[in-house]
């Protein structure tokens, strides 16, 4: 019992260290929430138009569209661990470009570079977490990925309103170094090591993550199960073309890519990036900056609820509650912004702030956290990295569409149309969850493959 507890602690610690890469991505996701206001109000030495700002914000997602496919090959070549370690150097370079940049092109390169890193991190980190985790805590381990991103967002939301643009960049820059130093000490994924025929190293890795002796019968049994699973998966070495090779894989693609796209079309990226120029100048009881800190905190609360509930209640119930809550919050916001164009709603300025906070917790409790877990669970080891790379593209595509359109729609026909779009997206995802998605809670990777391929299993879809 003690060995299992210490093993779980090791797995959680390694997952947190690996997910520091996503913490830094979270910094960059929330960076525009303060930086855009500083730049457009002339508080910095940069002279950038609103169009250039929209491109700087959106280029992160453009980079994210480019990198996932190469990342899947890099992950299977260098390994999960080394692939993530290399990200630290690029992320440090992006902050240096922002600190010393003098025009929009520095921001373009920095954001594009971060987007490339985001694509790799969103592809590789969930795989690493899924492959080191024991079956009974796999859901909780998988949610750490999104949790660390939320912590990175919260850090930037708390710091941004309190400091200048230059100080914000400087105080954000040490985290790539911290990530490199912490994650370097953890073992490689035992799945990857077995895929490469490095059985001795795989055994040591698995023994460390499970806190078991090398001669433990329990260790030998799990190692044999993993080896058998990989041997079955690798009979025909997977590639991108194999993501459409069978009805089971196509069904997994529909579920995983649908959730990934809907996650971003629900509006999270745009709500964070453009909050400073969308929300009313006062929220009633508190300043806008304080409300955005509340928003960051609620995403942490929502993700914490997800961590504790995902392996107890399952993925599907949380997704249903999450999508319904997101649709409700953005629908109320859409009505508020529509009415505010022709009416004085100053006394109700607290409404969009309340909706942002509600959206934060509802997003994090399900649709903002669970898709990364599902993407690892639905695919066999021979195509898992390729599926994760395509999912990362869908994440990026959704963010790019909403971020690039947001300012244009706000300045031309009204921001309420964007919130209406977010609402419709969440409602479609709700229907999708109820009709297409199936519960994976408590099922082994092999059980999930049987369900996808309609083979006999004790669990029904």
């Amino acid at each position: 019992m003690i060995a299992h507890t210490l093993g779980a602690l090791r797995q959680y610690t390694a997952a947190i260290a690996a997910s520091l890469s996503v913490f830094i991505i979270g910094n960059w996701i929330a960076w525009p929430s303060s930086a855009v206001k500083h730049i457009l109000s002339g508080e910095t030495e940069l002279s950038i138009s609103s169009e250039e700002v929209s491109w700087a914000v959106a280029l992160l997602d453009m980079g994210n569209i480019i990198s996932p496919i190469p990342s899947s090959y890099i992950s299977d070549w260098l390994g999960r661990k080394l692939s993530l370690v290399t990200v630290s150097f690029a992320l440090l370079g992006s902050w240096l470009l922002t600190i010393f940049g003098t025009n929009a092109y520095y921001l373009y390169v920095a954001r594009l570079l971060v987007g490339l890193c985001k694509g790799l991190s969103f592809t590789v980190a969930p795989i690493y977490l899924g492959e080191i985790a024991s079956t009974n805590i796999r859901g909780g381990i998988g949610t750490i990925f999104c949790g660390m991103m939320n912590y990175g967002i919260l850090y930037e939301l708390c710091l941004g309103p309190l400091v200048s643009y230059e100080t914000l960049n400087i105080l954000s820059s040490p985290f790539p170094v911290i990530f490199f130093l912490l994650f370097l000490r953890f073992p490689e994924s035992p799945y990857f090591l077995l895929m490469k025929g490095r059985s001795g190293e795989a055994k040591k890795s698995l023994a460390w993550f499970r806190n078991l002796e090398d001669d433990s019968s329990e260790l030998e049994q799990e190692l044999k199960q993993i080896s058998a699973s990989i041997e079955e998966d690798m009979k025909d070495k997977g590639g991108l073309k194999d993501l459409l090779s069978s009805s089971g894989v196509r069904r997994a693609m529909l579920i995983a890519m649908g959730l990934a796209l809907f996650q971003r079309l629900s509006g999270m990226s745009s709500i964070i990036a453009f909050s400073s120029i969308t929300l009313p100048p006062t929220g009633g009881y508190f300043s806008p900056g304080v409300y955005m800190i509340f928003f960051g905190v609620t995403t942490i609360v929502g993700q914490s609820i997800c961590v504790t509930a995902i392996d107890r209640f399952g993925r599907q119930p949380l997704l249903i509650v999450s999508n319904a809550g997101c649709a409700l919050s953005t629908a109320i916001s859409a009505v508020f912004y529509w009415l505010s164009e022709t009416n004085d709603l100053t006394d109700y300025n607290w409404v969009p702030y309340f909706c942002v906070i509600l959206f934060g917790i509802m997003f994090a409790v399900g649709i903002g956290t669970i898709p990364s877990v599902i993407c690892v669970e639905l695919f066999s080891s021979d195509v898992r990295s390729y599926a994760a790379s395509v999912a990362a593209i869908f994440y990026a595509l959704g963010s790019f569409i909403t971020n690039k359109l947001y300012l244009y729609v706000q300045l031309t026909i009204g921001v309420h149309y964007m919130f209406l779009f977010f609402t419709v997206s969440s409602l479609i995802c709700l229907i999708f969850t109820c009709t297409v998605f199936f519960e994976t809670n408590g099922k082994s990777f092999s059980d999930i493959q049987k369900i996808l391929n309609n083979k006999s299993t004790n669990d029904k879809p």
Side-chain angles (χ1 to χ4, degrees):
M1 182 64 181
I2 295 177
H4 289 169
T5 301
L6 291 177
L9 181 61
R10 287 182 173 184
Q11 293 168 50
Y12 274 104
T13 305
I16 291 171
S19 298
L20 275 174
S21 61
V22 192
F23 175 93
I24 302 165
I25 301 300
N27 294 159
W28 274 105
I29 289 173
W31 177 83
S33 66
S34 296
V36 167
K37 185 176 181 180
H38 287 312
I39 293 170
L40 293 181
S41 62
E43 298 175 17
T44 73
E45 296 182 2
L46 296 170
S47 179
I48 301 178
S49 67
S50 60
E51 177 64 17
E52 289 173 324
V53 167
S54 72
W55 273 111
V57 172
L59 276 173
L60 186 151
D61 298 302
M62 179 63 73
N64 194 5
I65 292 173
I66 297 170
S67 63
I69 297 297
S71 296
S72 63
Y73 291 96
I74 292 171
S75 172
D76 283 347
W77 174 49
L78 292 179
R80 307 352 181 177
K81 176 184 173 180
L82 190 55
S83 298
L84 288 173
V85 167
T86 57
V87 166
S88 60
F89 299 101
L91 289 173
L92 178 61
S94 66
W95 283 119
L96 293 177
L97 283 169
T98 310
I99 291 170
F100 297 106
T102 56
N103 56 51
Y105 294 101
Y106 284 86
L107 294 185
Y108 291 168
V109 174
R111 296 280 293 182
L112 186 64
L113 188 59
V114 173
L116 296 173
C117 294
K118 183 182 178 185
L120 194 149
S121 296
F122 273 56
T123 300
V124 181
I127 296 175
Y128 181 80
L129 269 59
E131 291 181 346
I132 69 172
S134 301
T135 300
N136 63 319
I137 59 171
R138 192 176 62 227
I141 291 287
T143 60
I144 290 175
F145 170 80
C146 290
M148 290 299 288
M149 182 174 68
N150 290 334
Y151 278 109
I153 290 171
L154 177 61
Y155 176 85
E156 215 75 5
L157 291 177
C158 290
L159 187 64
L162 303 177
V163 300
S164 67
Y165 171 82
E166 292 76 14
T167 304
L168 176 66
N169 296 330
I170 291 171
L171 293 180
S172 300
S173 61
F175 290 110
V177 179
I178 296 172
F179 163 57
F180 173 81
L181 295 176
L182 287 180
F183 184 55
L184 196 61
R185 66 176 298 274
F186 289 96
E188 175 60 272
S189 155
Y191 271 81
F192 170 77
L193 294 171
L194 283 173
M195 286 169 61
K196 295 299 182 181
R198 295 154 62 181
S199 56
E201 295 176 63
K203 184 176 182 179
K204 290 181 180 179
S205 171
L206 189 63
W208 189 89
F209 283 119
R210 302 298 183 263
N211 193 41
L212 296 172
E213 297 295 332
D214 287 350
D215 57 353
S216 166
S217 59
E218 184 179 345
L219 177 66
E220 291 293 343
Q221 182 180 0
E222 183 173 359
L223 200 62
K224 288 179 181 178
Q225 290 175 347
I226 295 174
S227 298
S229 176
I230 290 175
E231 184 178 350
E232 179 67 25
D233 294 340
M234 301 298 288
K235 283 181 179 178
D236 298 310
K237 173 57 180 163
L240 284 171
K241 65 180 186 302
D242 295 299
L243 293 178
L244 299 174
S245 62
S246 68
S247 59
V249 179
R250 289 193 293 271
R251 184 182 178 192
M253 284 291 290
L254 174 62
I255 295 171
M257 304 312 130
L259 289 177
L261 182 63
F262 284 127
Q263 183 199 87
R264 291 297 145 183
L265 293 182
S266 66
M268 182 61 156
S269 299
S270 299
I271 289 173
I272 294 174
F274 299 107
S275 61
S276 62
I277 58 174
T278 300
L279 291 167
T282 174
Y285 301 103
F286 303 101
S287 66
V290 172
Y291 274 107
M292 289 311 297
I293 293 174
F294 289 162
F295 167 79
V297 171
T298 57
T299 61
I300 302 298
V301 172
Q303 193 270 336
S304 300
I305 294 172
C306 188
V307 169
T308 58
I310 188 172
D311 289 320
R312 178 178 298 181
F313 300 108
R315 285 66 162 149
Q316 193 172 44
L318 293 179
L319 284 171
I320 291 172
V321 171
S322 175
N323 283 305
C326 288
L328 177 64
S329 62
T330 53
I332 295 173
S333 295
V335 172
F336 174 87
Y337 290 121
W338 174 56
L339 292 176
S340 65
E341 291 190 347
T342 55
N343 299 273
D344 182 8
L345 300 181
T346 303
D347 292 339
Y348 300 96
N349 275 358
W350 58 270
V351 170
Y353 285 93
F354 169 79
C355 289
V356 163
I357 293 172
L358 176 63
F359 180 89
I361 193 168
M362 288 293 101
F363 181 87
V365 82
I367 188 62
T369 306
I370 293 175
S372 61
V373 177
I374 296 301
C375 190
V376 175
E377 291 182 325
L378 292 184
F379 297 94
S380 55
S381 57
D382 60 324
V383 296
R384 189 172 294 145
S385 61
Y386 304 108
S389 67
V390 177
I393 292 175
F394 274 79
Y395 286 123
L397 183 62
S399 292
F400 180 80
I401 290 171
T402 56
N403 285 339
K404 191 67 188 76
L405 287 177
Y406 192 95
L407 268 181
Y408 174 79
V409 171
Q410 180 177 9
L411 296 174
T412 54
I413 59 176
V415 74
H416 54 281
Y417 281 102
M418 284 305 302
F419 280 88
L420 178 60
F421 175 82
F422 300 152
T423 302
V424 172
S425 298
S426 293
L427 290 175
I428 295 174
C429 189
L430 176 61
I431 297 171
F432 181 86
T433 301
C434 294
T435 58
V436 180
F437 181 79
F438 69 89
E439 185 58 70
T440 60
N441 185 36
K443 297 178 177 67
S444 67
F445 286 143
S446 60
D447 287 339
I448 294 170
Q449 289 306 306
K450 290 177 182 178
I451 294 173
L452 286 167
N453 291 284
N454 294 316
K455 295 181 180 179
S456 61
T457 178
N458 293 328
D459 298 300
K460 295 181 180 180

